[in-house]
Amino acid sequence: NAEGDAAAGAGKVALCAACHGMDGKSIASIYPNLAGQWAAYLENSLKAYRAGERSGGMSAMMTPQATNLSDEDIAAYYSQQ
Amino acid sequence: NAEGDAAAGAGKVALCAACHGMDGKSIASIYPNLAGQWAAYLENSLKAYRAGERSGGMSAMMTPQATNLSDEDIAAYYSQQ
């Protein structure tokens, strides 16, 4: 469900915000801005990390994060920034 | 060189635009918006596809595209939208 629950998602993004910013605008150019990105794309990206389909880059950080979080909620939250 | 040449990049993005839009705003939610994204992140993403570090998702389309294109030019172009 790509709709997710944006309000619930807001409570789960403290870790994400360390790199991607509370408003989805990242703190450095190696991290993607998430603000305004499609919820479906964000959800698919998190699922790809979880499935081990992204290696290299920041995957050593993102794979465990994606495993621990509800991707639908996070996608819904950032897509509304 | 993440600076790239935005003018040169503009001439190379006809294929990209079919999904990501001429202005970097994608035509459907399965494709990420690229407008306003960090040039360094876009460049790293294209290099990851080229290196075979992204599988699943749209990688069957993106890997050959990334192999054929100068990622610095494309990253520079989209980051200025």
Side-chain angles (χ1 to χ4, degrees), chain B residues 57-71:
Chain B
M58 301 305 292
S59 64
M61 179 179 292
M62 282 303 302
T63 300
Q65 298 296 345
T67 302
N68 290 331
L69 295 169
S70 162
D71 41 20

Side-chain angles (χ1 to χ4, degrees), chain A residues 31-50:
Chain A
Y31 307 120
N33 294 320
L34 305 183
Q37 191 54 273
W38 295 100
Y41 178 75
L42 295 177
E43 183 180 341
N44 288 345
S45 296
L46 287 167
K47 289 179 177 174
Y49 281 114
R50 179 185 292 170

